[in-house]
Amino acid sequence: MEEHYYVSVDIGSSSVKVVVGEKFHNGINVIGTGQTFTTGIKNGMIDDFDVAQHAIKDTIKKAQIASGIEIEDVFLKMPIIYSEIHDVVHEIKFDGSSTEITGEHIEDVLDGIRDKNSAKDIEIIGVYPKMFKVDDLHEVSDPKEMVATQSLSVDAGVITMERSVLVNILKCVESCGVHVLDVYSDAYNYQHILTPTEVELGTCVIDIGDQLTQVAYYERGTLFDADHIPMAGSVISEDIAEALNISFDDAEKVKEQYGHAFYDLASEQDVFNVTQIDAEAPVAFSQKDLSDVIEGTVEEIFLEVFDLLQEMGLDKINGGFVLTGGSSNLLGIKELLTDMVSEKVRIHVPQQMGIRKPEFTSAISTISSGIIFDELLDYVTINNH
Ligand code: ATP
Ligand code: MG
């Protein structure tokens, strides 16, 4: 029996991440990972093809060595940029005789949406069912094994992306010798890091990465809308570099080692030395000095997030906020957001061994998306457990 592995690739602005996992009971067992820092990606998009290709290839190789698995097929995560989200209803008809609904029927009705909505410069990268209707009577989340005589319809969310952006990412990944089985937008992926109650009540996920802050809002069991802000961890480092008059690389280091996003809680005793540009002698700063800069930038990011939510027509987030992505490693970031909103705030860190860092959220939730679709479409997966 052949074991079934899921491999996801997350091409982030600061690093490429690959996770190899397998389905394990109701969760995912992580078997191996790879991560490579790169300058070939800007805003989650390929900026330098060769550099990006090398980084992706290296990361796949690292994950291959770590997991002991030959990686051939991957799921690719897509960032929430150059993307649009809308709703579509589609139906397939039956001939009046009793038909037991299978994964193939579900695939047919979802594919129908892809065919109906294809445009020249825009590609559909995700069709996620919100609800199915069997014979226009029963509303169900998974109609498999039910019997229909007239029709199967689906109320689905559709995520589109500009074709040329998609084509180039796919080309870059496939040139590394792997086959992309499917792509999943983070707009869909983040739903899997929420509890059913959060998805029902209305919860906002904020992934603060390196160059992108991605925002997705889920309500009544499904994605409502998602968008991004072109501002994240690298802007925080730029602001530190400018305020302390140090190099960008030094700013990254002090941010990660001493950074604090909430001035009121930052320490005055925690002091570090840095060498300023064009200066000989090192200068001392405290974590409190540093937090003064970081708090301002992170606050600006959150204010932009609130603007996005307002544009989406939302003014109350009943289920609260979930922070994730590499920049949510910043001490005090939860406290800062808690100070700015009246809703609950939590940080999401994946719990699987080997990926207990918020920067792995997107990669692991891409695997969740892959598993969910395999189950919905009833693809045969062989599990050795
Ligand atoms: P993007 O999602 O923007 O395309 P990415 O996926 O590569 O980029 P992540 O890996 O989620 O981004 O996060 C990287 C960012 O997190 C970097 O800006 C890095 O400086 C920041 N970061 C990582 N650890 C820490 C830390 N301990 N404190 C502050 N920032 C951190
Ligand atoms: Mg990212």
Side-chain angles (χ1 to χ4, degrees):
M1 251 202 320
E2 202 188 314
E3 290 177 71
H4 190 81
Y5 299 106
Y6 288 86
V7 182
S8 66
V9 178
D10 171 10
I11 303 176
S13 309
S14 75
S15 69
V16 179
K17 299 143 196 107
V18 169
V19 173
V20 182
E22 62 183 341
K23 218 181 126 209
F24 185 66
H25 300 299
N26 276 332
I28 300 163
N29 202 8
V30 170
I31 306 166
T33 63
Q35 184 176 16
T36 310
F37 290 87
T38 177
T39 54
I41 318 291
K42 291 242 159 65
N43 296 321
M45 297 290 141
I46 310 291
D47 181 58
D48 182 321
F49 196 92
D50 274 356
V51 175
Q53 186 200 37
H54 267 101
I56 297 165
K57 224 182 212 165
D58 283 354
T59 319
I60 291 171
K61 205 186 279 168
K62 287 175 194 167
Q64 212 153 248
I65 293 167
S67 63
I69 283 152
E70 190 73 29
I71 297 174
E72 288 167 358
D73 297 322
V74 302
F75 288 115
L76 181 59
K77 148 277 173 63
M78 283 293 145
I80 308 169
I81 182 168
Y82 303 114
S83 285
E84 297 287 337
I85 295 158
H86 60 274
D87 289 340
V88 173
V89 176
H90 187 61
E91 184 178 70
I92 52 170
K93 296 272 190 204
F94 298 121
D95 62 5
S97 57
S98 295
T99 309
E100 186 181 305
I101 297 167
T102 64
E104 272 177 49
H105 294 120
I106 296 174
E107 203 165 359
D108 278 354
V109 73
L110 295 177
D111 281 350
I113 291 179
R114 288 183 186 259
D115 297 342
K116 208 162 71 171
N117 288 271
S118 53
K120 205 167 112 261
D121 307 325
I122 304 287
E123 188 85 26
I124 293 182
I125 58 165
V127 176
Y128 56 97
K130 297 182 171 188
M131 184 198 51
F132 291 94
K133 251 195 221 164
V134 178
D135 285 346
D136 218 11
L137 293 171
H138 318 278
E139 292 187 356
V140 292
S141 58
D142 185 350
K144 264 197 307 294
E145 291 178 53
M146 292 187 74
V147 174
T149 55
Q150 304 301 324
S151 65
L152 171 68
S153 78
V154 66
D155 180 350
V158 172
I159 306 172
T160 61
M161 191 172 218
E162 285 182 29
R163 177 167 289 143
S164 79
V165 175
L166 177 72
V167 164
N168 283 304
I169 303 185
L170 283 175
K171 181 169 183 238
C172 197
V173 175
E174 297 217 315
S175 72
C176 297
V178 292
H179 169 60
V180 176
L181 283 174
D182 214 340
V183 301
Y184 291 108
S185 168
D186 273 341
Y188 177 70
N189 295 333
Y190 295 143
Q191 178 167 344
H192 316 311
I193 68 166
L194 301 180
T195 65
T197 314
E198 285 173 332
V199 183
E200 209 45 51
L201 284 178
T203 299
C204 175
V205 176
I206 309 173
D207 177 327
I208 313 179
D210 185 58
Q211 291 178 4
L212 298 177
T213 293
Q214 306 199 115
V215 181
Y217 178 73
Y218 304 86
E219 195 183 70
R220 282 189 237 162
T222 187
L223 172 66
F224 178 82
D225 207 351
D227 211 332
H228 79 282
I229 297 155
M231 196 181 163
S234 67
V235 176
I236 301 173
S237 302
E238 281 164 19
D239 289 352
I240 294 171
E242 198 186 317
L244 272 51
N245 190 27
I246 57 177
S247 71
F248 179 83
D249 287 352
D250 284 350
E252 285 268 285
K253 280 186 205 129
V254 296
K255 175 184 78 174
E256 293 187 14
Q257 221 177 328
Y258 306 98
H260 205 294
F262 197 47
Y263 184 80
D264 291 354
L265 293 179
S267 152
E268 257 170 301
Q269 282 75 44
D270 209 349
V271 174
F272 57 91
N273 290 314
V274 282
T275 308
Q276 292 185 307
I277 293 168
D278 301 330
E280 294 279 304
V283 180
F285 289 100
S286 69
Q287 186 183 58
K288 203 147 192 103
D289 298 328
L290 192 55
S291 75
D292 203 10
V293 183
I294 298 175
E295 187 182 86
T297 314
V298 178
E299 210 167 48
E300 210 178 312
I301 293 173
F302 286 143
L303 291 173
E304 297 261 357
V305 171
F306 302 156
D307 283 349
L308 278 189
L309 294 174
Q310 212 149 40
E311 279 167 32
M312 291 176 190
L314 304 163
D315 39 39
K316 185 92 185 80
I317 311 293
N318 290 320
F321 292 85
V322 176
L323 289 173
T324 198
S327 296
S328 68
N329 280 304
L330 265 176
L331 293 175
I333 198 163
K334 179 183 160 185
E335 290 74 10
L336 175 65
L337 183 57
T338 306
D339 197 51
M340 295 174 78
V341 298
S342 50
E343 294 90 348
K344 182 181 103 198
V345 178
R346 71 173 175 94
I347 292 183
H348 177 82
V349 180
Q351 282 311 300
Q352 289 89 346
M353 229 183 6
I355 57 160
R356 286 185 187 145
K357 293 176 183 173
E359 48 268 48
F360 275 99
T361 293
S362 169
I364 190 76
S365 59
T366 301
I367 293 189
S368 303
S369 293
I371 292 176
I372 285 169
F373 268 84
D374 271 5
E375 286 175 355
L376 182 70
L377 303 179
D378 215 9
Y379 286 150
V380 182
T381 57
I382 299 156
N383 203 322
N384 280 6
H385 298 282

